[in-house]
């Protein structure tokens, strides 16, 4: 691993440090600073000529700041002649606008893919993309990991009596089905309708959740409305307890407060987005080993497919 260098942006330094520790490496030095007018400047403080370079940065809130920082780091890296640059993006922001679902709207997931490549990324390592087909927005290799192995291991230890995995909307069914198969558990779906962006109206629960421990799985918690209203519907339909399992805890606005006052027994999230001092209802699992192992295998030109299981 000597010819492999790992850098981190400012968005999730804690996770980057854990990944480096897993790999028995130090993060390589980089100076990221702001000019007086707020513009970002970067200086790579290590020789990377001919090296295999990884830059870890989640594009979580503040999204534009973190994305721009990543682009500028990529540009600085590219101009320092490395052999290859892999952008490790544990949380890929702007992913939810992945198609034109109404006239005259952007496809930001594709726009971000384009600018990452223009800035200098040769390959991407990411996790639980909002839609797996976002991989196809890149014409460079993308390794797309799932947090499921980490989540399922934890959920199994809870030894649920009658678990049912719940997809809080149709978009999450595939993810939920994978969880249900592997836990194992039954599957249910909450039929969710949105009146307007960030507003949710629950219609009904498809599947039997009566006397079950319901585990809602989703890729993102932003306002929390999807999960919280799904939990209400599940309790109304006879679930004894409700758990949440979500890879990317964006936790926008007053979402943390909302969960404190919710019907959830526990909400399990990962550290793709950094959080500190969360209330005890949240359990944070680390995906550092998964990402670290993927980095190792990419560097050693080894297969990463066994990490998907
Ligand atoms: C939707 O398609 C996603 O999978 C999540 O359900 C959604 O992004 C969650 O958003 P919020 O927490 O704002 O309801």
């Amino acid at each position: 691993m000597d010819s492999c260098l790992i850098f981190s942006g400012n968005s999730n330094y804690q996770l980057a440090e854990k990944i480096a520790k897993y790999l028995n490496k130090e993060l390589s030095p980089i100076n990221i600073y702001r000019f007086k007018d707020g513009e970002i400047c970067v200086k790579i403080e290590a020789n990377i000529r001919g090296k295999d370079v990884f830059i870890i940065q989640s594009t979580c809130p503040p999204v534009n700041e973190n994305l721009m920082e990543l682009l500028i780091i990529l540009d600085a890296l590219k101009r320092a002649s490395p052999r290859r640059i892999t952008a490790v993006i544990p949380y890929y922001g702007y992913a939810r606008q992945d198609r034109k679902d109404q006239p005259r709207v952007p496809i930001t997931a594709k726009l971000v893919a384009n600018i990452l490549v223009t800035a200098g990324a040769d390959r991407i390592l990411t996790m639980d993309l909002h839609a797996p087909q976002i991989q196809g927005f890149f014409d460079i290799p993308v390794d797309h990991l799932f947090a499921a192995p980490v989540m399922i291991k934890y959920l199994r230890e809870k030894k649920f009596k009658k678990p049912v995995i719940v997809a809080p909307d149709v978009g999450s069914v595939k993810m939920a089905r994978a969880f249900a198969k592997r836990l194992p558990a039954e599957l249910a779906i909450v039929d969710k309708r949105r009146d307007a962006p960030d507003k949710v109206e629950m219609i009904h629960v498809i599947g039997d959740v009566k006397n079950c421990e319901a585990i809602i799985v989703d890729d993102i918690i932003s306002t929390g409305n999807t999960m919280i209203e799904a939990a209400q519907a599940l309790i109304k339909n006879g679930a004894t307890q409700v758990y949440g399992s979500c890879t990317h805890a964006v936790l926008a606005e007053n979402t943390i407060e909302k969960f404190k006052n919710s019907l959830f027994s526990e909400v399990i999230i990962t550290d793709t987005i950094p959080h500190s001092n969360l209330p005890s209802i949240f359990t944070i699992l680390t995906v550092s080993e998964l990402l670290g192992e993927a980095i190792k295998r990419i560097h050693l030109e080894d297969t990463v497919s066994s990490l998907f299981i």
Side-chain angles (χ1 to χ4, degrees):
M1 295 290 288
D2 284 351
S3 63
C4 157
L5 278 84
I6 301 170
F7 294 89
S8 176
N10 283 314
S11 73
N12 198 344
Y13 203 79
Q14 301 94 305
L15 175 61
E17 278 187 315
K18 284 189 198 157
I19 293 172
K21 190 168 172 212
Y22 175 80
L23 295 168
N24 281 323
K25 288 187 77 75
E26 296 286 326
L27 291 172
S28 293
I30 178 170
N31 189 2
I32 307 168
Y33 53 98
R34 301 281 184 280
F35 291 117
K36 290 265 185 267
D37 59 1
E39 288 184 1
I40 300 165
C41 194
V42 162
K43 179 150 173 35
I44 311 296
E45 304 279 12
N47 174 17
I48 60 167
R49 195 170 284 268
K51 299 280 169 54
D52 192 15
V53 170
F54 294 81
I55 165 67
I56 301 169
Q57 177 88 322
S58 276
T59 48
C60 54
V63 187
N64 300 334
E65 192 70 14
N66 287 332
L67 175 60
M68 199 63 210
E69 190 180 276
L70 173 59
L71 297 173
I72 292 170
I73 295 171
L74 283 169
D75 189 70
L77 291 170
K78 179 178 71 178
R79 291 171 197 282
S81 311
R83 177 168 67 79
R84 177 175 66 179
I85 306 170
T86 301
V88 181
I89 310 176
Y91 170 66
Y92 184 92
Y94 277 120
R96 282 181 289 177
Q97 295 172 62
D98 59 359
R99 66 197 178 285
K100 274 189 80 168
D101 55 357
Q102 44 182 310
R104 300 178 297 280
V105 293
I107 305 179
T108 55
K110 170 66 177 153
L111 172 67
V112 170
N114 286 347
I115 54 182
L116 285 168
V117 174
T118 302
D122 296 311
R123 67 186 297 144
I124 304 288
L125 171 61
T126 188
M127 181 168 272
D128 281 325
L129 285 167
H130 179 60
Q133 57 270 28
I134 291 171
Q135 290 169 78
F137 292 178
F138 291 90
D139 284 327
I140 55 172
V142 176
D143 289 303
H144 180 213
L145 300 180
F146 305 103
V150 175
M151 298 294 209
I152 289 170
K153 182 169 179 281
Y154 180 82
L155 290 169
R156 277 193 190 134
E157 284 163 8
K158 299 219 139 274
K159 304 213 180 305
F160 293 117
K161 289 197 190 77
K162 205 179 163 200
V164 56
I165 297 287
V166 181
D169 57 25
V170 178
S172 308
V173 172
K174 207 168 167 213
M175 187 183 202
R177 198 185 294 133
F179 270 65
K181 196 171 159 201
R182 291 170 56 192
L183 196 58
E186 293 300 317
L187 179 68
I189 301 166
V190 174
D191 182 21
K192 176 183 91 169
R193 305 272 158 93
R194 269 188 203 276
D195 285 346
D198 290 344
K199 290 244 164 60
V200 174
E201 187 193 342
M202 289 301 164
I203 309 296
H204 61 277
V205 176
I206 304 167
D208 186 11
V209 298
K210 199 155 182 225
N211 299 322
C212 294
E213 297 111 333
I215 305 142
I216 306 171
V217 300
D218 210 346
D219 58 330
I220 300 172
I221 298 175
S222 180
T223 63
N225 293 343
T226 302
M227 277 241 181
I228 287 170
E229 297 190 24
Q232 285 163 357
L234 291 165
I235 293 287
K236 214 163 125 192
N237 280 263
T240 51
Q241 280 183 304
V242 186
Y243 289 78
S245 166
C246 173
T247 310
H248 307 299
V250 176
L251 305 182
E253 298 171 339
N254 56 344
T255 306
I256 295 172
E257 267 319 292
K258 283 196 247 172
F259 273 98
K260 263 167 63 181
N261 303 318
S262 73
L263 298 168
F264 281 95
S265 300
E266 185 178 356
V267 180
I268 301 134
I269 59 174
T270 79
D271 57 356
T272 58
I273 297 174
H275 288 290
S276 52
N277 303 322
L278 283 182
S280 58
I281 191 166
F282 290 99
T283 299
I284 307 177
L285 304 181
T286 186
V287 288
S288 55
E289 294 186 9
L290 212 47
L291 288 164
E293 187 60 29
I295 289 174
K296 185 162 109 192
R297 291 181 191 204
I298 290 167
H299 175 66
L300 299 174
E301 310 285 353
D302 208 349
T303 172
V304 299
S305 50
S306 63
L307 301 178
F308 299 156
I309 305 160

